[in-house]
Amino acid sequence: MPVPWFLLSLALGRSPMVLSLERLVGPQDTARCSPGLSCHLWDGDVLCLPGSIVSAPGPVLVPTRLQTELVLRCYQETDCDLCVRVAIHLAVHGHWEEPKGEEKFGGAADPELEESRNAFLQAQVVLSFQAYPTARCVLLEVQVPAALVQPGQSVGSVVFDCFEAALGAEVRIWSYTQPRYQKELNLTQHLPDCKGLEVRDSIQSCWALPWLNVSADGDDVHLVLDVSEDQRFGLSLYWNQVQGPTKPWWHRNLTGPQTITLNHTDLFPCLCIQVWPLEPDSVRTSICPFREDPRAHRNLWRAARLQLLPPRGWRLDAPCSLPAEATLCWQAPGGGPCQSLVPPLPPANVTVNKALELPLLNVHPNLCVQVSSWEKLQLQECLWVDSLGPLKDDMLLVETRDPHNNRSLCALEPSGCTPLLSRASTRAARLGEQLLQDLQSGQCLQLWDDDLRALWACPMDKYVHQRWALVWLACLLFVAVLFLLFLFRKDQVKAATRGRAALLLYSAEDSGFERLVSALASALCQLPLRVAVDLWSRRELSAQGPLAWFHAQRRQTLQEGGVVVLLFSPGAVVLCREWLQDGASTPAPQGPHDAFAASLSCVLPDFLQGRAPGRYVGAYFDGLLHSDAVPALFRSVPVFSLPSQLPGFLGTLQEPGDPSPGLLRERARLVSQALQPALDQLLKAPGDPGDPEDGTRDGT
């Protein structure tokens, strides 16, 4: 039985009170103004073109506040529509020019100035109204005698009747002047429904309005429409975006009672529902019930994508507007947090689905963009890693200038910004004079500059080389001696050579599956392979955490030319499908030592971006998983069934050219002998994992 979590009608408003509304007769729009003002409403609607802000030539009238009131526009006693009345409060903006010369001290008054003060202040005020799926703009001309007002003084208000809107709709209203002297006013309002108003006998759409129950049943959300069997109505689901037009998602014409099921992954904060009877001139009512749903907000961040667009652009793609801020940061090699930089990107809410420009003079691989929400880091992407190469060991210098053009320099380090030429015991302080000379000689790259600050990236490679030059000379002599010793211990050195590195990743199903993985890892260690698996590193895993442990092991393995082995099991397939379905978010680890769940945030991007071939190999065990169950994304690399395809699997793990086919078959036989008992024991164990309906068993 579904558990109701939010019961509403499609016209449900925010006000719990029942309101009685004023009635306006006739379809004609009107305007009236407070005493002292005169106003005129232009016939017909106008184009909504705010234009750019311009300087006021003197005192002008500007809107300062918007107020709304709900009324009924009636054509007959029982034929009315809900209408929004808008009141615009006006004030004087700007000043008259003061008299100059002798006029200022009692001389003759300027006739033109006197004439302007005896004239009228006039303004063209635009009202813009939007309520999905309609939009309107009207123009009001307002004037007031200039002699009766003072700059900054409120002069009264203009009332417009009225904008028709649907019950339960979300309406947005803007007001500005033509030409525009200041930022436009805006107001967003959620209208009430038939239950919140005394209008059931006046608005015909309330007589037969489809009613909607929203309930949750596990991972599904049910939209239950309670209407008569012969009533026909339209239902539309759409994304209501503040930034940009609404995006239709789903539309149907239906008859009678209906139950529509949505998966929880389809929920977004801007997902709205609109319903209307399929009758001529019927009112469409809308509601957005998922604005505060935590699942909807999680889905939104999972669907968000941060892209960096060469040469200096960036873009955040998401289905809805995001309450987020973006910043530039500097990522030093060797890990550690990305350090925030000046200049920050605009602190206002991030504009989604729009390419934006980074305020940079030059680009650098250590520069990254971070997107945060409520002080929590959500997304990070470094600048064009594929085109600019890996992170560099450069020192970032922050230059600060005062109004007298005196400047100071500090170097950004993990401990903070260290002043150059200081006595601190940091690398930047020790090399302060050399870095200053590099800056003055033009060896540093300027990344950003304004009147008071600048950023410079200075290479550090030559200082690293100089520092270690003497050490290398001493080491060469030491290595020569060691080399002579190694010649006498050639056999021992060969035995110590462990071959290619291999990192095994798996999802911890149960103790039986872990024994199977341990048997495989132990057998591979008997070959010229250096095997890393979390089963043998529990202490480091507990100290560092699964994600940090995996990142360190993956980086070391790939840097040494090794390979990452993905062992697929029913649980691993489920985790991969959830990740691919929900978006690029880090799945929650399934246990304190589950490196597979922690690794998905790094492994899957390699497959999505085509970097996996040559670096990854897939495998699954006979009888535990069918080959079709492996997600298609991972088939871009070789995937083997063990132990039936052990020769091909071992051949992929070995270095090119080694070993011979005969030796490879012998090694496969030895690994199979070590692996088969653990696999047989797992297959015979009661309650083993897997669901035949999901394709996680061979079943043949």
Side-chain angles (χ1 to χ4, degrees), residues 23-93:
R23 290 171 173 258
L24 304 178
V25 180
Q28 189 67 31
D29 293 337
T30 61
R32 65 182 187 277
C33 42
S34 56
L37 297 177
S38 60
C39 52
H40 169 69
L41 174 65
W42 278 37
D43 294 334
D45 290 355
V46 298
L47 293 177
C48 303
L49 298 173
S52 302
I53 296 177
V54 299
S55 300
V60 291
L61 289 178
V62 294
T64 58
R65 185 162 57 95
L66 294 175
Q67 283 184 299
T68 60
E69 179 184 357
L70 296 181
V71 296
L72 290 177
R73 170 169 281 172
C74 298
Y75 310 95
Q76 296 180 5
E77 181 67 24
T78 60
D79 185 11
C80 302
D81 290 324
L82 190 65
C83 215
V84 180
R85 170 183 290 166
V86 183
I88 312 166
H89 295 264
L90 302 169
V92 178
H93 173 75

Side-chain angles (χ1 to χ4, degrees), residues 359-386:
L360 296 173
L361 299 176
N362 292 287
V363 295
H364 192 281
N366 293 30
L367 287 174
C368 305
V369 175
Q370 289 182 334
V371 177
S372 304
S373 177
W374 305 108
E375 299 183 354
K376 179 182 179 182
L377 177 62
Q378 300 285 357
L379 300 170
Q380 177 176 316
E381 193 74 20
C382 293
L383 298 188
W384 315 289
V385 173
D386 293 334

Side-chain angles (χ1 to χ4, degrees), residues 100-115:
K100 300 180 180 179
E102 65 273 5
E103 298 174 5
K104 187 173 181 179
F105 300 98
D110 186 349
E112 295 183 1
L113 181 61
E114 289 296 328
E115 182 180 353

Side-chain angles (χ1 to χ4, degrees), residues 85 249-250 537:
R85 170 183 290 166
W249 177 50
W250 187 90
S537 306

Side-chain angles (χ1 to χ4, degrees), residues 67 83 150 218 226 260 317 321 431 491 518 551 609 643 662 689 696:
Q67 283 184 299
C83 215
Q150 295 294 328
D226 184 13
I260 297 161
D317 292 320
S321 300
L431 300 173
D491 294 339
S518 180
H551 276 294
Q609 298 172 14
T696 57

Side-chain angles (χ1 to χ4, degrees), residues 136-150:
R136 291 186 60 195
C137 278
V138 298
L139 181 64
L140 301 161
E141 285 190 351
V142 186
Q143 64 178 12
V144 62
L148 301 181
V149 298
Q150 295 294 328

